[in-house]
Amino acid sequence: MKRVNIIGAGLAGLSAAITLAEQGFACNLISLQNSERAQSVLAEGGINAALDFIDGGKDLPAEHYKDTMSGGCDLADPEAVRGLTCDAPEIVRGLAVLGVPFHMKDGKLVLRSFGGQKNKRTAYAKSSTGKVIVHALVDLVRKYESEGLVRRYPHHEFVRLLLSQNKGKAACDGVRIIDRHTGKMYDCSGVVVLATGGMNGLFPGMTTGTTSNSGDVTATVFAQGVYLSNLEMIQYHPTTIGISGKRLLVTEAARGEGGRLCVKRNGRWWYFMEEIYPELKNLMPRDVVSREMYNVVRRPDCEDQVYLDMTDLSDEIWKTKLPDMRKELIDYLGIDPKREMIPVEPGIHYFMAGIDVDIYHRTNVDKLYAAGECTSQYHGANRLGGNSMLGAIRGGNMAAKHIMKDTDWAKYIYAERMKEQENGKDISGKESAGEKRIIPKIDWEENIIEVTENNNDNETYLNAASPAFIKEEGQILLEGLGIIRSEGVMQEAYDKLAKLEKKADCCRENSRVMLGKAMLLSALFRKESRGAHFREDYPERKNEYKKMTLARLSEGQVLIQLKE
Amino acid sequence: MEIRFNILRTNRTVKAQYMQSIIYTIEDENATVATALSLMNETAGLKDVDGNAVTPIVWECSCLQKKCGACAMVINDHPALACSVRLRELKKPEVTLKPLMKFPVVEDLMVDRTILFENLREMKIWLKNEARTEPVDYDMAYEGSRCLQCGCCLEVCPNFCPEGKFFGMASFVPTARLISEMKKEQREEIYKEYRKHIYEGCGKSLACRKVCPAGIDIEGLLVNSNAMAIWKRGKRKLTE
Ligand SMILES: Cc1cc2nc3c(=O)[nH]c(=O)nc-3n(C[C@H](O)[C@H](O)[C@H](O)COP(=O)(O)OP(=O)(O)OC[C@H]3O[C@@H](n4cnc5c(N)ncnc54)[C@H](O)[C@@H]3O)c2cc1C
Ligand code: SF4
Ligand code: SF4
Ligand code: FES
């Protein structure tokens, strides 16, 4: 019997595991840390879906689609976004049925405003939405775990894909992992789903995300021949604050609930977003807000610090909607946002960049799928707040569905369910109507086998990149891939990276440099401004670039083209 | 800030333990224990007070903002999250770091908390059917969804030991969510688990509540769960 191997146990991985298990497909859920420690638990503000409003009004998936496409500056795959926005209401209602304590009133979900959206569309649980969703999904996975359908392998790290060539096309036969507690390595055979999150580790200490999403998985699979896309698109969230070791996010919900951005101009507070964008005001898409913030602090008549003013928010809001956030700001900054404005700056928050997948979440490699923030799906040139948890859950779900359709199912179905099927039930346990499927004999090969033979993975794949190397590369990438970019600055960063490459002395360092180069080259390739990619030297948006960039590695060379 | 770090180190293979002291200077005035550990690991050629080279200190982290529980360890004899303890708030410029003691040590400050997750499985912590959601359940379901599975509460609990049948607050908090969300007629089984693994073993001193880094209202959850599972009364609203 084979198992699907899911790498990563955040929302995308959990969702894939649940979708498979519901249908009796067995999987391994492999992750560096337990789900409780995944970046998904950090999500605060909420998750989007077009739902009925409590006051009787109605939102439509078509509106959600329009906002998502235009927020992403028409770069996302329209078919994928249509699927995302159509499935969203069912996904969010499904979460409520699992007991996610969303804010409700009279049996209806209360929705909040988020950036770039004309309607209230974001379901939430105070400011810990990600945490409570992960909690509910983990509980559900536990049930499938007890049935033997899901096997959890926390503290196991991805080493590399096991690839073969099939009729001239690369195919994935499984994945090699290492137990970080015992140091033992294993090969897991079967389809692989990558759900390893964003590439925070390329920018150490400079993002709002977790330290465990090191970027190594994306770098390694890129070096192994997996295509990446949209690599120039990195989201700077407008409201972050530097704290020790990372950037602390002030959720967009702060502005959704009435927070306002301001700067001192000629000695008086200027609420610049409200003046420049009278319709969406402080809730313009994140790329726009970050750029305006970058610009105002450089104006001669303005001071150089932007503040978030939440002093007018009602007690009710502080109590029921943003209590966790307030506590966090008091803890980490010593500032009570109810009484004082807080100083904020744009900071790296989300990677629209990542593994290239089609609408079924297939990569260019056969039997290899990817979902969640590690992919470039759904968000185009700029992700809207509340769309990424949605994208992660839907991505895991789509990948799982396609695996079940595409794969030789008999090899994966869990034996107990097979027996039921022999007794005339279908794989989901219901009495099957109509003809019975013929059940082939399965041999009970274990899908996870310890790697004992001498192999050189110890030297080649396991040596971690050195902190100094990672830091230096991060600094170079930050310089090249800032909020405002230009040919000269990016080229300079590229040259520095080429120099750093000479210092690379392990496989992971090499792969990281390749990935960094691919990012810079993608950004250089896009000679226009669109969403998160803003170029001083090409400030206009150009129709000829209305496609994602695609990056691949060929004989050690990074090649960039527009995606067909 | 110049700080003396005393770190209880454990070798991965032979599990030999020894105390290593390092004097380290940190500029960042907001630095936490987590920052210090990262910085020390980044410092090439770091030496301890006896002049021996310091090998990278193994510890776990992820969010660096008190939301994931990864970095729990014993800091000056109290279990806490490394990313929440600020160095400038120490009483004196010295801090002792040890791994959580109720779990097997993997290496240095990293422990194996598998038992936490096994206990949840043993108690069958999952919803069997759709959640019921009435307004009164909201606070309990929300609080019950917030446990970090960090293990700090177990460290101070006089009644928890990893082999025992009393599972402690790390198992109780997720149980409370289920109690609040299960339909009435389906609750008997979870009540039974609750009595066996939580209620009967708990001395109710609430030492756990004081150390819980997520500030979960353990007392409120206990009162409500007892009312429902033991005294079979209705619940009252959680205190804010
Ligand atoms: C502070 C913050 C607030 C946010 N707020 C919101 C919000 O309000 N709404 C919203 O929609 N989105 C929000 N997001 C974004 C959202 O949280 C993420 O995009 C989403 O949760 C990603 O889910 P994921 O499953 O793809 O990845 P993750 O949750 O990051 O999970 C990645 C998994 O991969 C594992 N992994 C990583 N590397 C390896 C490896 N080498 N080997 C093995 N396993 C590995 C990790 O252990 C983890 O289990 C926020 C993000 C942050 C940082
Ligand atoms: S109340 Fe006391 S006995 Fe009960 S879990 Fe907390 S510390 Fe342990
Ligand atoms: S109850 Fe609190 S201390 Fe105990 S594991 Fe959960 S979060 Fe940690
Ligand atoms: S690193 Fe997440 S709680 Fe400290």
Side-chain angles (χ1 to χ4, degrees):
Chain A
M1 190 180 71
K2 283 193 186 184
R3 290 175 164 262
V4 176
N5 301 294
I6 303 165
I7 313 289
L11 284 174
L14 287 167
S15 154
I18 289 167
T19 309
L20 290 166
E22 271 169 354
Q23 299 297 322
F25 265 62
C27 69
N28 296 322
L29 188 54
I30 299 157
S31 57
L32 202 50
Q33 290 172 317
N34 286 84
S35 301
E36 284 81 354
R37 329 251 184 259
Q39 173 161 313
S40 293
V41 304
L42 295 187
E44 301 174 349
I47 177 166
N48 294 341
L51 296 162
D52 297 349
F53 307 132
I54 10 181
D55 60 13
K58 218 174 162 59
D59 190 12
L60 292 170
E63 295 291 322
H64 188 183
Y65 168 84
K66 247 197 280 173
D67 288 345
T68 303
M69 284 306 292
S70 76
C73 305
D74 298 317
L75 214 54
D77 179 337
E79 208 182 328
V81 175
R82 200 168 307 278
L84 177 81
T85 50
C86 285
D87 290 354
E90 201 184 309
I91 289 174
V92 173
R93 276 190 228 112
L95 291 172
V97 166
L98 291 178
V100 172
F102 286 123
H103 201 77
M104 310 262 263
K105 204 173 165 187
D106 307 330
K108 275 190 188 166
L109 289 159
V110 181
L111 304 169
R112 67 169 36 137
S113 306
F114 247 40
Q117 317 206 73
K118 293 183 190 73
N119 288 330
K120 286 198 177 191
R121 187 173 289 146
T122 309
Y124 65 96
K126 298 189 185 171
S127 26
S128 301
T129 317
K131 173 66 194 166
V132 300
I133 295 179
V134 169
H135 185 92
L137 296 189
V138 166
D139 270 10
L140 184 57
V141 165
R142 188 173 297 119
K143 171 172 134 189
Y144 293 124
E145 210 185 347
S146 77
E147 294 170 13
L149 279 164
V150 178
R151 279 199 209 147
R152 273 199 256 205
Y153 293 92
H155 57 81
H156 284 67
E157 189 183 3
F158 170 91
V159 177
R160 64 179 165 97
L161 298 169
L162 304 172
L163 299 177
S164 64
Q165 287 294 324
N166 186 4
K167 295 181 201 125
K169 198 177 177 223
C172 177
D173 302 324
V175 59
R176 179 165 292 183
I177 58 174
I178 179 167
D179 181 341
R180 279 298 176 197
H181 282 181
T182 62
K184 286 186 182 159
M185 257 194 284
Y186 301 90
D187 281 349
C188 313
S189 59
V191 177
V192 173
V193 182
L194 296 171
T196 45
M199 297 175 271
N200 302 314
L202 284 184
F203 298 88
M206 307 169 207
T207 75
T208 57
T210 102
T211 54
S212 2
N213 294 350
S214 62
D216 282 327
V217 178
T218 309
T220 304
V221 301
F222 183 52
Q224 287 193 280
V226 174
Y227 295 175
L228 309 181
S229 55
N230 216 19
L231 286 182
E232 67 279 26
M233 299 301 179
I234 297 170
Q235 177 166 81
Y236 284 78
H237 193 290
T239 56
T240 74
I241 302 164
I243 60 168
S244 198
K246 76 174 299 183
R247 298 207 66 86
L248 183 72
L249 176 81
V250 181
T251 167
E252 195 163 275
R255 280 171 289 133
E257 301 293 352
R260 308 162 71 194
L261 291 167
C262 59
V263 67
K264 251 207 178 129
R265 183 176 60 175
N266 297 326
R268 302 185 53 177
W269 291 112
W270 177 33
Y271 292 86
F272 55 95
M273 287 305 294
E274 298 167 21
E275 196 174 304
I276 310 175
Y277 302 97
E279 194 195 357
L280 284 178
K281 300 189 174 109
N282 293 287
L283 288 175
M284 286 297 285
R286 290 172 181 174
D287 56 323
V288 180
V289 184
S290 290
R291 217 152 35 238
E292 291 303 340
M293 288 170 68
Y294 179 96
N295 289 334
V296 292
V297 296
R298 280 166 182 76
R299 281 169 61 126
D301 56 346
C302 289
E303 287 182 6
D304 59 5
Q305 179 67 60
V306 171
Y307 288 86
L308 179 62
D309 180 359
M310 290 181 277
T311 54
D312 279 343
L313 268 54
S314 68
D315 286 353
E316 178 63 15
I317 287 178
W318 286 120
K319 211 167 98 189
T320 62
K321 303 196 167 168
L322 301 168
D324 318 352
M325 184 196 88
R326 181 175 172 203
K327 190 171 172 305
E328 193 166 56
L329 290 172
I330 295 174
D331 277 1
Y332 277 101
L333 296 180
I335 303 179
D336 181 352
K338 194 176 162 194
R339 303 203 159 74
E340 280 176 76
M341 297 190 195
I342 48 174
V344 287
E345 274 161 9
I348 298 178
H349 177 57
Y350 186 86
F351 294 83
M352 285 79 75
I355 298 166
D356 188 57
V357 293
D358 67 5
I359 54 166
Y360 305 113
H361 285 259
R362 284 181 296 195
T363 67
N364 64 306
V365 172
D366 247 6
K367 295 187 284 176
L368 178 67
Y369 294 73
E373 194 175 333
C374 68
T375 71
S376 59
Q377 191 64 286
Y378 301 121
H379 311 296
N382 172 56
R383 168 184 69 100
L384 297 186
N387 264 355
S388 81
M389 284 202 273
L390 177 65
I393 293 173
R394 182 186 194 252
N397 179 273
M398 281 302 281
K401 277 187 180 156
H402 197 269
I403 288 170
M404 295 189 285
K405 226 169 79 187
D406 204 40
T407 311
D408 184 359
W409 56 273
K411 287 205 184 102
Y412 287 84
I413 292 172
Y414 184 59
E416 290 301 312
R417 300 291 171 97
M418 293 291 290
K419 273 192 230 120
E420 285 177 11
Q421 198 182 13
E422 281 174 67
N423 299 333
K425 291 178 180 168
D426 75 2
I427 52 173
S428 59
K430 293 187 216 87
E431 297 290 330
S432 62
E435 92 276 28
K436 259 207 269 183
R437 284 204 254 182
I438 311 292
I439 299 139
K441 265 216 153 343
I442 13 170
D443 63 23
W444 277 82
E445 76 182 289
E446 261 301 319
N447 96 307
I448 171 160
I449 296 170
E450 191 180 338
V451 184
T452 45
E453 90 270 25
N454 275 342
N455 71 80
N456 58 0
D457 272 3
N458 274 325
E459 292 86 60
T460 48
Y461 285 96
L462 294 181
N463 283 350
S466 84
F469 188 93
I470 293 176
K471 233 181 186 165
E472 192 171 343
E473 181 176 7
Q475 208 51 50
I476 295 172
L477 291 177
L478 186 73
E479 283 163 24
L481 300 168
I483 298 175
I484 309 278
R485 305 168 178 178
S486 68
E487 184 90 16
V489 173
M490 290 189 284
Q491 190 58 49
E492 197 181 319
Y494 184 85
D495 296 341
K496 282 189 192 163
L497 206 52
K499 262 196 215 133
L500 181 69
E501 188 178 8
K502 302 209 175 76
K503 285 198 236 164
D505 69 353
C506 68
C507 182
R508 288 202 188 177
E509 289 179 356
N510 271 317
S511 307
R512 292 175 80 96
V513 171
M514 283 304 166
L515 177 54
K517 277 186 168 178
M519 287 176 138
L520 286 165
L521 289 174
S522 303
L524 282 160
F525 187 93
R526 185 173 289 285
K527 291 190 172 31
E528 63 152 359
S529 290
R530 188 184 291 268
H533 179 69
F534 188 89
R535 291 186 60 157
E536 255 168 358
D537 43 356
Y538 299 98
E540 306 296 322
R541 196 186 289 187
K542 294 184 194 157
N543 224 2
E544 62 201 271
Y545 285 105
K546 205 174 138 186
K547 280 180 185 144
M548 284 206 268
T549 52
L550 184 77
R552 63 201 166 90
L553 209 56
S554 171
E555 290 164 11
Q557 289 298 308
V558 178
L559 304 179
I560 311 287
Q561 65 186 80
L562 285 179
K563 200 178 155 180
E564 283 317 314
Chain B
M1 274 181 293
E2 193 186 78
I3 310 251
R4 182 190 171 103
F5 292 89
N6 309 314
I7 303 173
L8 183 60
R9 309 217 36 186
T10 306
N11 175 291
R12 177 186 286 265
T13 37
V14 293
K15 302 283 175 208
Q17 288 199 326
Y18 60 102
M19 217 32 157
Q20 185 167 43
S21 297
I22 304 157
I23 293 180
Y24 193 76
T25 306
I26 295 179
E27 310 294 336
D28 179 0
E29 61 163 301
N30 289 319
T32 60
V33 168
T35 334
L37 286 168
S38 316
L39 286 174
M40 286 194 276
N41 281 345
E42 282 170 20
T43 308
L46 184 66
K47 296 249 162 57
D48 68 11
V49 289
D50 302 322
N52 299 318
V54 179
T55 53
I57 304 153
V58 178
W59 65 295
E60 238 190 304
C61 69
S62 170
C63 71
L64 295 180
Q65 58 180 91
K66 302 199 283 193
K67 286 197 173 157
C68 79
C71 66
M73 57 182 72
V74 180
I75 302 176
N76 284 341
D77 295 326
H78 296 286
L81 300 175
C83 65
S84 77
V85 176
R86 242 180 301 235
L87 297 174
R88 72 169 135 84
E89 284 161 12
L90 296 171
K91 285 200 190 74
K92 50 179 189 168
E94 179 167 0
V95 61
T96 301
L97 307 178
K98 294 179 190 162
L100 292 173
M101 296 291 168
K102 297 225 171 155
F103 307 100
V105 180
V106 176
E107 188 171 2
D108 296 342
L109 302 170
M110 186 197 222
V111 293
D112 180 355
R113 286 175 274 199
T114 305
I115 185 80
L116 288 174
F117 304 96
E118 279 175 1
N119 286 347
L120 290 170
R121 213 158 52 221
E122 164 109 24
M123 282 185 76
K124 304 194 189 68
I125 300 300
W126 56 79
L127 269 178
K128 293 194 184 52
N129 293 84
E130 290 189 2
R132 56 159 212 164
T133 36
E134 292 155 23
V136 67
D137 295 324
Y138 181 81
D139 290 332
M140 194 166 166
Y142 181 78
E143 283 299 288
S145 301
R146 290 207 309 119
C147 176
L148 308 178
Q149 296 299 319
C150 66
C152 287
C153 51
L154 306 181
E155 194 71 15
V156 295
C157 175
N159 296 2
F160 174 83
C161 71
E163 303 78 34
K165 81 172 187 18
F166 172 61
F167 290 173
M169 285 307 124
S171 290
F172 165 63
V173 175
T175 309
R177 176 180 93 96
L178 288 195
I179 292 181
S180 75
E181 290 192 331
M182 273 187 173
K183 299 204 168 88
K184 208 167 178 179
E185 53 287 2
Q186 293 155 354
R187 277 191 230 132
E188 257 338 295
E189 201 178 336
I190 190 75
Y191 286 168
K192 210 172 95 204
E193 297 289 337
Y194 172 66
R195 285 192 295 268
K196 180 165 158 203
H197 293 296
I198 310 290
Y199 180 75
E200 286 168 10
C202 176
K204 304 180 187 64
S205 62
L206 289 177
C208 50
R209 158 130 216 202
K210 281 194 211 89
V211 299
C212 174
I216 294 172
D217 180 8
I218 292 172
E219 188 179 8
L221 291 177
L222 274 174
V223 169
N224 274 341
S225 304
N226 287 345
M228 293 165 79
I230 311 293
W231 317 117
K232 309 281 163 107
R233 286 198 302 259
K235 294 166 297 170
R236 64 179 174 83
K237 247 181 119 61
L238 287 191
T239 46
E240 291 296 336

